[in-house]
Amino acid sequence: MMSSSLTIWNSISWVFGLLLLTVGVLNVMWVHPVPGIMYFLLALLYFPPLTDLLKDKTGISVPGILKVLLGIVLVFFSLGVSDLGDMIDKW
């Protein structure tokens, strides 16, 4: 039981990490490099190998539910409020 819930959380982390990484690339290409770099840095919080490294080196661990909520807020903000959402709407 524990293994399957860990696999689900890891899968969710990878999805949100890749999604934020994609939003970061799109921001760098179409909008401005600064928000793109911020999305890159936030995406690093989602990749399980990097979160394990962060926990081992600093002892800091971001709870999974906080990662999910932060990811949802960031994706809605980047696609709904920011200039990137306007650029995508024009397509």
Side-chain angles (χ1 to χ4, degrees), residues 3 10 12 20 23-24 28 37 41 43 63 72 78 80 85:
S3 176
N10 279 342
I12 291 170
L20 286 176
V23 169
V28 167
I37 291 169
L41 294 175
I72 290 170
S78 65

Side-chain angles (χ1 to χ4, degrees), residues 11-87:
S11 298
I12 291 170
S13 289
W14 278 103
V15 167
F16 276 112
L18 291 172
L19 189 60
L20 286 176
L21 199 61
T22 303
V23 169
V25 168
L26 293 174
N27 268 299
V28 167
M29 290 176 10
W30 288 344
V31 180
H32 195 270
V34 173
I37 291 169
M38 293 306 296
Y39 281 108
F40 285 140
L41 294 175
L42 287 171
L44 296 177
L45 289 175
Y46 288 90
F47 297 117
L50 294 174
T51 57
D52 292 342
L53 181 67
L54 178 70
K55 187 175 182 179
D56 290 342
K57 296 293 182 186
T58 65
I60 297 171
S61 177
V62 181
I65 192 69
L66 183 61
K67 289 180 188 179
V68 171
L69 292 174
L70 179 64
I72 290 170
V73 167
L74 287 171
V75 169
F76 279 125
F77 176 77
S78 65
L79 297 177
V81 178
S82 73
D83 293 333
L84 182 60
D86 294 338
M87 301 283 270

